[in-house]
Amino acid sequence: MSTAIDSGTAGRKAAAATDQVTAIVLDRPVSNRWIVALAAAATATAVFIGALGYLFATGVGIWGINIPVAWGFAITNYVWWIGIAMAGTFISAALLLARQPWRNSVSRFAETMTVISLAIAGLFPIMHLGRPWFAYWLVPYPNVMQLWPQWRSALVWDFVAIACYVVVSLGIWYLGLLPDLASLRDRARRRGAQVFYGLLALGWRGEARHWQRHQSASRLLAGFAVPLVFMVHSMVALDFSEGISPGWHTTLFPPFFVAGALFSGFAVVLALALFLRGIYELHAFITDTDLDRLARMLVALSLFMAYSYALEVFGGLYTGNPDELGMLSERMSGPYAPLYWATLVLNAALPQVLWSRLLRERKPVLLVVSLGVIIGMWLERFVLVVTTLRRGFLASDRGMFYPTAWDWVHLLGSIGLCALLFLLFVRLLPLLPLFEIRKRIFEEG
Amino acid sequence: MRAALAAESPPFRGQGSDRPDEGPRLWRGLDEIGGSTLPQRSGSIPDAAVAGGGLSRRAFLQYAGASLALAGAGGCSRAPEETILPYVEAPEGLVADQPLFYASALPLDGYARGVLVKTTMGRPIKVEGNPKHPASLGGTDIYAQAAVLDLWDPDRSRSLLHQGQPATWEALVADLGEHRRTLEGAGGRGLAILTDTVTSPTLASQITRLLERWPHARWYHPAPSGEAAALRASAAAFGTALTPRIHLDRATVVLALDADPLGPGPEQVMHAAAFAKARDPASATFLRLYAAEPTPSLTGAMADHRLPTRAARIQILAWQLAYRLGLDVPEPPPDDLPDGWVEGVANDLRAAGGSALVLVGPWQPEAVHRLAAAINARLGAIGTTVSYAPSAAATATPHAGDLTVLTTALRAGEIDLLLILDANPAYEALADLHFPQALANAGKVVHLGPYVDETAVLCAWHVPAAHPLETWGDLRAADGVASIVQPSIAPLYNGRTAVELVDALGGEGPAASGRRAYDLVRAHWREALGDAHFDARWQQALRGGMVKGTGLTTRDVRLAPDWQSGLSLTIPAATEGLDLVFRHDATVRDGRQANNPWLQELPKPFTSLTWENAALIAPETARRLGVTDGDLVSIGLGERTLDAPVWRVPGQAPDTLTLSLGYGRRRAGRVGSGIGFDANWLRTAAAPWAAVGASLSPTGRRVELASTQLHHRMEGREHVRSTSLASYRRHGDGPLVDASSLPSLYPERPRGDHAWGMSIDLNACIGCGACTIACQAENNIPVVGKDEVRRGRELHWIRVDRYFAGAPDAPRYLSQPVPCMHCENAPCELVCPVGATVHDSEGLNLQVYNRCVGTRFCSNNCPYRVRRFNFLQYVDSAEPGTSGETLAAQRNPQVTVRQRGVMEKCTYCLQRINAARIQAQTEERALHDGDVVTACQGVCPTRAIVFGDLNLPHGAVARAKRSRRTYSLLWGLNTRPRTTYQMRITNPNRALDDQSG
């Protein structure tokens, strides 16, 4: 029967794919490049942990923040990291529900990136606190003094949203890993690896019942996750727009933040895809078409960002409020104006080159654009936080923010921590969702 | 335990209210209570234990209590680890948590300002004004507020030194005894005494007696900062050397020629109060102020017409005015003063007649003072707005020589023994005297001063001076009223006073060396007041803070016919280069206060600079010379050069640099040494206050200055509102600004028993900054240091915003104190995730330090930006001068010390509200209007700040808020602030075509 022959061919193809991807974890010798990268990342992480200790021992005064600019890098970094986290959830949840099979080429490492950057994003609000040892006071827990959080504050709801988001995205990630962990367990030849993956696989045997439950759980979590990502980023946006300051006090922020998060998330996924594909020869799995799709997403989101930037300016002009107008001129011509214009170039202008198929097919161009977006989105949040704070309602309370060495150490150190976790991920867990790939092979024949 | 003790004590002890103006019951002569032995006992607290003999059980308990208090205060941020014990039996007169007030006086430039010293548990922690004292009237200046920190300064000299080694008082007395024998034989030849301005009757009579006994001895003092010119002018114009005493409250038109009566000085508080009274828009008359000055002053900032002009041109201005007012002076040459300015002012002065007044600053030469005296006489102002009286300073006598004479005598080797009493000539002397080198020729020098300063290290003996808060003494105010200085704590470091030192040298009788200040001062006053009822009068003087009947009477003066003989009216030759103007620094003054971190961190008017001085320059001049804020320039004058950073100030006269004294100290202490530049380096005896022909060249380097306000233009918004008197009067009865509330989505808050509110009268505020320091002293606000200020982290709860309005070459200066607004719809409360900032039923916006986790969202959402954050553990900072050590003893025990990571802000002095509430409850009555006085309100010289309960319809604050001038800051945000402002009223002369109205 042709189907049988087909399935036999497909079976061989699927097995080959499984072999190739599991080999990265099980058989591939550790390269010098990886060791060097790991050493660098580990060093950065060690510095980061040391700097964290110093921060907690001394206080947030080691940063450049002040009155009026009471928020600085910590909040910028927080919004940036949480934005990066969005793409993984969106890819695995929204595209799953929308039955977009191409997501499978990138979903695993995108989800991993989500988990890692969420963990790092969660650090910054705690680091940011004046008294971080009381961070748990934001949690509504029963206590003898019957003190509850102050429910009108967006920060409380932000905390709740993120807590939910962490649970759901961890669930999605681990659930997706289960069958693949079983594959690794089955193919592992060393005893240690067998036990390690065996324990992680939670007794997955690939029964139909398992698959059936796996599928419904996946869909269920995806159903949770999709509104949740929108909620989380809307909540982050409300941290700002709840404030009365010009530049923050706008209803535009929730969709604007969601789009921005998706934008930076896709940029990170694109950059990682380019790297992983090059290093681990995954051209067969992360195809040119997949990259093309990611690039198209980037253009679409960039257009939305450009629209948001325009709307922000329009909103300010439309109010005619001197404070709003002052904030516009502050952003466009104040001391941080170069960063504002850099944001516009990197986020709104540069990605437009991807309209051209010729340029879209060039990997260096894709890399430059995606890195540009990653930097541009950080700058956008920085400009948003700092310009609004440095120029308040009273003419007398102007201030300036100059980052200190510690501001940079904490930003770069957090990137180092992310790199460390990701490097460990590529050597310990399957880079691609094997069962999905196998399914796709079978479906496509 | 404490509570139990407090309950046991008689109820009338419960004088916890911070209302110093309720009669003598609130402060007490130290003699009256058991504590009378405390200040007299020799030795600091640790010494008392070994002092041995005669230490009664009661005294021991006092010391033990004070030690405990200090030990507890030392570790304010947490409880000490060791076991601590409460009082078993409280010493009499000392009730835990209940402050006691002592009337005393504090010197500034030698003159007294009456104060009430608040002590808790034996520690002086705060200074309030003495409402009955003429130089205070209840208000104080920044120096009186900062004095308590001077007392606790850990850098103070702690031991008597001989050749740099610790020595004993007895050894010094023995050494002086040998000198005494030689001096007796030589009639005092070879003895010189150098003092600052002396008003102390005891010290003056001591020295006078000494000079009578030893006719060859000499008394020198540095030239007083300006009285000399006025005295000489008075001698020439009226025939007697008298000091002009001005009465701004009686004036309707005032011209200030480079004069700054509202600026820092011993009479600032008095003049400011009189000025505010004369400019009350509700009264029939309203003073109009003209000012011509080279550099902005607090007086110029309040002027209705201000003319920035080079210092030397003031003389031409006075000359023209004299000529126009019909005095027989030669016709002045044509000049380039603005058209009609002089004529307009002259006409206005003439019309005002006897209620007009022309003032001249101490920096101007004698000729200008004499012209002004003649103009005032011509206008008929003498006797109304200005009167003449002898100076209260004993040093204002002609026989005293100044530093120049002393230096000559030193060079000639004529001085065998020099006593330097409370002066620092090695720093303050004009550069061309080369005083330190001359000092090496003296036989032996004995220095008395609070610090081992620039002078002390050049002297054989150094005696630590006792702070006025820890010793006995006496002082006279500028109008002659004498006060007894009474201590509120025993000397911390065995300090001595000038009277003790002079007594040790020249005192008569065998007990000379052992006599303490208390005995000497009492002996003097026993002589002065007479034996009859002396003890009663002494106690009365201590309780009231003044000795009755000591004010100086004014003399009738008449302009002498030959008043202009010897008057040299010259037109300054056109000079190349820049003018230099030397001024006392706006906060650290002549440098004696340089080690006081409160003063260092107080933003200076017009520049908002802290922690150092800068050469002030007009923006236009700066542009021409190609320099800008923070550029380090080299200022050359003759052969000397000085590197200084420049700072642009609108309204500075063109081509004029203002250099402030008081910085560049080499041995001020850990706080004040090595910051800023020493402008004395460019001062010469020929031109002590102004020099011409200076050069400026950029060095290419830059300095980061610490300014607390980066932006001084309101940009079309009216944070400080003002209107002219004419329009104020024309405008009917309604409010000048729409103050109605906007609709709100939030429910009205339930009203409690009280509704606290504050009103700040911008028409009265002169921008002196006393409120900022008073608040700092009251509320345990730490100093953060220059680097932190530069980062924008100063912690002042009430700041004074400064705005420039109008043309940059002749702007209007506006100042606005900004405390927490205590908004009814407070944006900060909405965003705090943990509810650390909440509203109470009395309308207070409270900050719960314990609950604060430090998200700082509240600060971001405060449109007034009045919230302050502890970015670091400032309260335990190891930086010199920021806190720690004995400074902890200054802290107010009723106010929490804040940990790092916690937000803080103005509380409307919640502790004072509660103290008043408890007091009222004890007395079983309701709180009265005026029971609660906030620290900023209490200190304000012009009474610009009014606080109270809005629920009392006839209360002061409710009345103030009904004023037509009332408006809310950022009204459109609908925050409904409880702190409101009353707009400023200007009184321009329409005849003057001038944009500065």
Side-chain angles (χ1 to χ4, degrees):
Chain A
M1 254 165 62
S2 65
T3 44
I5 294 165
D6 281 355
S7 87
T9 320
R12 277 193 298 282
K13 272 162 86 182
T18 310
D19 283 343
Q20 191 187 343
V21 176
T22 52
I24 296 174
V25 176
L26 296 173
D27 303 327
R28 193 182 165 97
V30 172
S31 71
N32 286 337
R33 259 193 319 193
W34 187 83
I35 301 247
V36 168
L38 188 80
T43 312
T45 307
V47 170
F48 181 60
I49 291 169
L52 268 184
Y54 181 66
L55 172 74
F56 290 147
T58 315
V60 290
I62 62 171
W63 294 334
I65 47 173
N66 53 54
I67 303 288
V69 191
W71 288 0
F73 269 30
I75 295 294
T76 307
N77 297 346
Y78 159 67
V79 181
W80 187 58
W81 279 115
I82 204 143
I84 288 172
M86 186 182 183
T89 322
F90 184 83
I91 286 169
S92 40
L95 298 187
L96 172 80
L97 295 181
R99 297 172 201 276
Q100 294 292 313
W102 62 272
R103 72 192 154 83
N104 293 323
S105 53
V106 295
S107 66
R108 170 61 42 75
F109 67 79
E111 279 170 36
T112 309
M113 200 56 209
T114 295
V115 173
I116 292 173
S117 42
L118 255 185
I120 293 169
L123 277 179
F124 277 100
I126 294 170
M127 290 162 68
H128 161 86
L129 290 183
R131 302 202 292 173
W133 52 96
F134 291 131
Y136 68 93
W137 284 357
L138 270 77
V139 184
Y141 67 97
N143 57 78
V144 287
M145 289 188 286
Q146 303 201 333
L147 274 172
W148 296 101
Q150 205 272 110
W151 301 110
R152 291 179 301 173
S153 173
L155 296 187
V156 175
W157 296 106
D158 191 17
F159 181 87
V160 172
I162 288 176
C164 298
Y165 186 33
V166 167
V167 170
V168 170
S169 57
L170 260 178
I172 290 185
W173 180 68
Y174 194 69
L175 201 65
L177 268 174
L178 267 184
D180 294 353
L181 288 168
S183 303
L184 280 172
R185 175 197 61 199
D186 297 344
R187 286 175 192 242
R189 281 179 290 277
R190 277 171 293 126
R191 184 70 189 145
Q194 285 169 347
V195 170
F196 178 70
Y197 293 111
L199 287 174
L200 288 180
L202 299 179
W204 178 275
R205 293 187 304 279
E207 291 175 17
R209 208 161 39 135
H210 288 181
W211 282 112
Q212 192 260 329
R213 285 182 185 164
H214 183 262
Q215 188 146 12
S216 30
S218 296
R219 288 189 186 263
L220 205 63
L221 279 177
F224 275 128
V226 172
L228 207 54
V229 284
F230 286 92
M231 198 176 91
V232 164
H233 295 280
S234 302
M235 234 27 256
V236 173
L238 289 182
D239 287 350
F240 296 96
S241 51
E242 185 187 27
I244 60 172
S245 309
W248 284 6
H249 193 60
T250 158
T251 48
L252 170 69
F253 268 24
F256 175 43
F257 269 55
V258 171
L262 208 51
F263 189 41
S264 59
F266 269 101
V268 168
V269 168
L270 179 56
L272 284 177
L274 287 167
F275 274 115
L276 293 173
R277 190 172 111 116
I279 294 168
Y280 295 108
E281 292 134 22
L282 301 173
H283 299 77
F285 306 104
I286 307 173
T287 59
D288 283 351
T289 326
D290 295 336
L291 293 181
D292 190 64
R293 286 198 177 102
L294 286 173
R296 282 164 190 249
M297 278 301 282
L298 224 48
V299 176
L301 288 165
S302 163
L303 284 176
F304 191 87
M305 294 310 286
Y307 172 72
S308 299
Y309 295 140
L311 210 58
E312 223 181 350
V313 175
F314 171 77
L317 290 174
Y318 186 72
T319 62
N321 179 324
D323 294 314
E324 293 284 349
L325 296 175
M327 184 48 60
L328 285 182
S329 84
E330 161 69 29
R331 291 211 169 131
M332 292 178 183
S333 59
Y336 295 100
L339 300 184
Y340 175 77
W341 294 112
T343 304
L344 289 195
V345 168
L346 292 173
N347 294 350
L350 192 59
Q352 305 309 322
V353 301
L354 300 182
W355 282 98
S356 146
R357 177 185 296 276
L358 207 65
L359 291 172
R360 209 157 61 223
E361 281 170 357
R362 286 176 193 273
K363 307 302 170 280
V365 173
L366 286 181
L367 190 65
V368 165
V369 169
S370 57
L371 291 179
V373 169
I374 294 168
I375 294 169
M377 285 309 292
W378 189 90
L379 289 176
E380 182 211 276
R381 275 70 172 256
F382 178 81
V383 169
L384 186 84
V385 169
V386 170
T387 55
T388 293
L389 292 178
R390 79 161 286 272
R391 188 189 194 286
F393 288 98
L394 289 182
S396 64
D397 70 8
R398 304 286 161 85
M400 283 296 285
F401 173 83
Y402 300 103
T404 63
W406 291 106
D407 280 306
W408 292 111
V409 165
H410 285 127
L411 171 60
L412 300 176
S414 69
I415 295 173
L417 175 60
C418 173
L420 177 75
L421 295 175
F422 200 81
L423 284 167
L424 290 175
F425 154 72
V426 297
R427 293 296 315 190
L428 289 177
L429 296 172
L431 266 177
L432 302 169
L434 294 168
F435 75 94
E436 298 273 19
I437 287 172
R438 287 200 297 267
K439 189 173 154 203
R440 195 172 162 191
I441 290 171
F442 277 105
E443 277 169 6
E444 287 171 4
Chain B
M1 191 68 201
R2 270 185 167 191
L5 279 171
E8 273 166 30
S9 57
F12 61 81
R13 290 276 186 219
Q15 287 154 358
S17 134
D18 284 279
R19 293 188 55 224
D21 55 350
E22 214 190 54
R25 206 169 63 129
L26 283 176
W27 63 89
R28 315 160 62 88
L30 204 58
D31 268 3
E32 192 187 342
I33 61 167
S36 66
T37 50
L38 181 64
Q40 289 166 53
R41 190 171 296 279
S42 70
S44 62
I45 290 163
D47 285 353
V50 293
L55 192 66
S56 69
R57 181 187 59 85
R58 178 159 287 170
F60 173 76
L61 275 174
Q62 279 177 340
Y63 286 126
S67 305
L68 273 184
L70 285 172
C76 261
S77 26
R78 55 186 71 109
E81 290 170 8
E82 302 81 11
T83 310
I84 55 171
L85 295 171
Y87 274 131
V88 175
E89 189 181 335
E92 198 177 332
L94 194 64
V95 180
D97 295 347
Q98 297 294 343
L100 291 171
F101 288 87
Y102 296 98
S104 186
L106 290 170
L108 184 67
D109 295 358
Y111 292 98
R113 290 109 75 238
V115 294
L116 305 178
V117 183
K118 178 182 178 180
T119 65
T120 15
M121 306 293 283
R123 293 178 288 129
I125 59 161
K126 177 85 169 62
V127 168
E128 304 286 349
N130 181 347
K132 292 183 178 168
H133 192 274
S136 162
L137 302 170
T140 76
D141 53 24
I142 55 174
Y143 303 106
Q145 289 303 313
V148 64
L149 203 62
D150 285 336
L151 167 72
W152 294 110
D153 187 350
D155 290 350
R156 279 174 60 190
S157 163
R158 296 181 182 217
S159 116
L160 198 142
L161 298 174
H162 183 227
Q163 311 289 9
Q165 298 300 317
T168 62
W169 172 254
E170 286 68 30
L172 172 64
V173 170
D175 193 12
L176 290 177
E178 280 171 32
H179 279 280
R180 177 163 55 216
R181 276 188 287 283
T182 334
L183 289 166
E184 292 282 9
R189 192 178 301 281
L191 170 67
I193 299 175
L194 175 66
T195 67
D196 208 358
T197 302
V198 170
T199 63
S200 161
T202 305
L203 182 60
S205 81
Q206 260 184 326
I207 297 180
T208 316
R209 239 178 261 182
L210 203 70
L211 296 178
E212 281 163 11
R213 197 166 113 215
W214 296 337
H216 296 295
R218 287 287 172 267
W219 182 10
Y220 302 95
H221 61 84
S225 45
E227 266 184 290
L231 285 169
R232 284 206 307 280
S234 155
F238 306 120
T240 35
L242 298 170
T243 311
R245 315 242 353 107
I246 60 170
H247 312 285
L248 290 172
D249 50 341
R250 299 180 199 159
T252 56
V253 177
V254 174
L255 169 65
L257 294 173
D258 198 3
D260 190 15
L262 305 182
E267 293 188 280
Q268 175 188 31
V269 174
M270 188 187 91
H271 289 325
F275 181 76
K277 196 175 152 200
R279 278 174 79 93
D280 178 2
S283 75
T285 58
F286 193 98
L287 183 150
R288 176 176 293 147
L289 177 62
Y290 300 91
E293 55 187 10
T295 187
S297 67
L298 291 183
T299 307
M302 296 303 286
D304 300 299
H305 295 278
R306 180 179 174 276
L307 181 70
T309 179
R310 295 172 73 158
R313 306 204 69 84
I314 300 282
Q315 181 168 339
I316 302 183
L317 190 56
W319 184 359
Q320 290 208 347
L321 211 56
Y323 180 76
R324 280 175 199 271
L325 289 170
L327 284 160
D328 48 346
V329 286
E331 184 172 349
D335 66 86
D336 53 1
L337 292 168
D339 286 342
W341 210 87
V342 178
E343 194 183 344
V345 176
N347 290 341
D348 214 13
L349 286 171
R350 195 184 294 116
S355 66
L357 175 61
V358 177
L359 293 170
V360 180
W363 311 285
Q364 286 292 321
E366 186 267 336
V368 184
H369 283 269
R370 207 195 304 182
L371 283 169
I375 292 170
N376 284 334
R378 172 88 195 179
L379 292 167
I382 293 178
T384 55
T385 58
V386 61
S387 51
Y388 281 84
S391 172
T395 40
T397 48
H399 71 75
D402 67 7
L403 265 182
T404 320
V405 190
L406 172 62
T407 316
T408 316
L410 279 169
R411 285 241 169 67
E414 293 167 9
I415 312 283
D416 296 325
L417 177 64
L418 173 61
L419 299 190
I420 300 178
L421 305 178
D422 258 339
N424 184 12
Y427 168 74
E428 286 168 10
L430 304 172
D432 60 346
L433 291 180
H434 301 286
F435 185 84
Q437 291 86 331
L439 194 63
N441 296 332
K444 182 173 284 172
V445 191
V446 182
H447 172 257
L448 173 89
Y451 296 92
V452 181
D453 56 18
E454 291 88 341
T455 307
V457 293
L458 302 173
C459 301
W461 288 94
H462 162 73
V463 186
H467 190 273
L469 290 173
E470 57 179 20
T471 186
W472 291 89
D474 50 5
L475 288 168
R476 301 177 85 173
D479 65 354
V481 171
S483 296
I484 308 292
V485 175
Q486 63 169 337
S488 33
I489 190 169
L492 295 172
Y493 309 121
N494 274 326
R496 296 280 169 166
T497 60
V499 288
E500 288 169 344
L501 189 58
V502 173
D503 189 62
L505 172 67
E508 291 143 31
S513 69
R515 282 196 285 192
R516 301 307 308 259
Y518 176 71
D519 304 307
L520 293 163
V521 173
R522 245 178 96 91
H524 171 83
W525 286 100
R526 187 180 289 278
E527 204 173 304
L529 298 173
D531 257 338
H533 310 298
F534 173 70
D535 280 336
R537 297 181 73 178
W538 172 259
Q539 289 220 353
Q540 192 183 28
L542 289 183
R543 288 178 183 216
M546 282 173 290
V547 187
K548 279 211 172 118
T550 45
L552 291 163
T553 46
T554 56
R555 307 260 180 90
D556 277 338
V557 290
R558 207 168 293 278
L559 193 62
D562 61 339
W563 69 273
Q564 40 163 312
S565 75
L567 181 71
S568 63
L569 291 175
T570 51
I571 319 158
T575 48
E576 291 288 311
L578 304 169
D579 289 0
L580 298 185
V581 175
F582 301 96
R583 286 288 186 272
H584 281 135
D585 189 78
T587 57
V588 302
R589 201 152 173 80
D590 53 8
R592 288 179 195 213
Q593 325 273 355
N595 210 50
N596 190 311
W598 287 350
L599 290 173
Q600 289 284 7
E601 200 153 295
L602 180 70
K604 302 175 199 301
F606 311 110
T607 61
S608 299
L609 286 176
T610 60
W611 287 97
E612 62 194 312
N613 55 350
L616 309 187
I617 190 168
E620 175 58 29
T621 312
R623 198 188 53 75
R624 206 186 64 231
L625 297 171
V627 293
T628 186
D629 294 351
D631 280 353
L632 199 65
V633 299
S634 178
I635 300 165
L637 183 70
E639 290 170 1
R640 291 163 183 265
T641 60
L642 176 70
D643 283 359
V646 294
W647 193 266
R648 293 167 305 157
V649 175
Q652 172 88 350
D655 297 321
T656 301
L657 289 177
T658 304
L659 306 178
S660 79
L661 310 177
Y663 279 96
R665 292 282 311 268
R666 295 174 297 284
R667 287 178 173 274
R670 284 172 297 170
V671 173
S673 295
I675 51 177
F677 58 86
D678 181 6
N680 283 318
W681 179 243
L682 295 182
R683 290 171 82 202
T684 58
W689 295 109
V692 293
S695 66
L696 181 151
S697 53
T699 61
R701 283 175 290 153
R702 282 185 57 75
V703 185
E704 284 284 329
L705 297 167
S707 176
T708 58
Q709 192 179 338
L710 306 179
H711 197 84
H712 293 272
R713 296 226 157 251
M714 290 196 281
E715 295 182 335
R717 279 168 290 183
E718 289 191 280
H719 302 325
V720 179
R721 291 176 183 264
S722 59
T723 188
S724 71
L725 183 68
S727 100
Y728 172 74
R729 288 192 172 151
R730 202 169 47 236
H731 198 284
D733 291 332
L736 294 164
V737 182
D738 180 12
S740 56
S741 282
L742 297 166
S744 171
L745 287 173
Y746 289 99
E748 291 289 324
R749 290 179 188 282
R751 293 269 170 166
D753 293 340
H754 307 284
W756 302 112
M758 182 179 274
S759 175
I760 301 177
D761 188 352
L762 298 179
N763 193 46
C765 174
I766 57 167
C768 67
C771 47
T772 304
I773 295 199
C775 175
Q776 190 155 27
E778 171 73 18
N779 291 303
N780 299 336
I781 299 173
V783 168
V784 297
K786 182 181 164 186
D787 287 344
E788 292 293 297
V789 172
R790 207 155 48 196
R791 289 223 168 95
R793 296 172 177 176
E794 67 279 0
L795 287 173
H796 297 142
W797 285 2
I798 179 168
R799 63 174 193 263
V800 180
D801 281 349
R802 318 269 176 183
Y803 297 107
F804 303 133
D809 53 341
R812 289 169 55 213
Y813 301 106
L814 303 165
S815 53
Q816 181 173 42
V818 186
C820 176
M821 297 291 139
H822 291 271
C823 310
E824 289 177 10
N825 292 340
C828 53
E829 292 168 12
L830 215 60
V831 295
C832 177
V834 293
T837 182
V838 289
H839 225 74
D840 81 356
S841 63
E842 299 181 354
L844 296 177
N845 168 249
L846 305 171
Q847 179 70 22
V848 189
Y849 306 128
N850 277 350
R851 182 67 177 164
C852 178
V853 297
T855 67
R856 308 186 285 288
F857 203 170
C858 54
S859 168
N860 292 350
N861 217 31
C862 172
Y864 309 97
R865 287 282 197 274
V866 295
R867 292 179 156 262
R868 297 287 174 262
F869 189 68
N870 289 276
F871 288 94
L872 297 167
Q873 181 79 347
Y874 295 121
V875 81
D876 292 340
S877 162
E879 289 281 309
T882 49
S883 75
E885 300 183 42
T886 57
L887 295 182
Q890 181 276 326
R891 289 189 189 138
N892 185 350
Q894 294 186 321
V895 178
T896 313
V897 175
R898 282 80 60 184
Q899 194 182 21
R900 70 128 153 136
V902 168
M903 192 61 78
E904 59 184 62
K905 62 157 197 93
C906 160
T907 63
Y908 271 171
C909 283
L910 184 59
Q911 69 282 2
R912 291 187 176 211
I913 295 177
N914 286 334
R917 199 195 313 267
I918 292 166
Q919 175 74 8
Q921 280 168 0
T922 313
E923 296 171 12
E924 296 185 343
R925 61 169 174 87
L927 270 175
H928 298 152
D929 187 40
D931 272 356
V932 185
V933 177
T934 63
C936 53
Q937 175 189 15
V939 76
C940 181
T942 59
R943 299 284 164 240
I945 301 177
V946 180
F947 176 80
D949 185 353
L950 296 168
N951 285 351
L952 298 175
H954 301 295
V957 72
R959 267 183 285 130
K961 293 214 176 207
R962 281 198 296 272
S963 156
R964 292 164 47 211
R965 296 185 287 129
T966 291
Y967 73 95
S968 301
L969 193 56
L970 300 177
W971 166 80
L973 294 176
N974 201 25
T975 51
R976 300 191 187 170
R978 279 281 172 88
T979 304
T980 55
Y981 292 91
Q982 294 188 64
M983 62 165 69
R984 186 159 154 176
I985 302 291
T986 57
N987 186 13
N989 180 357
R990 251 184 276 168
L992 279 186
D993 184 27
D994 185 305
Q995 71 276 49
S996 70

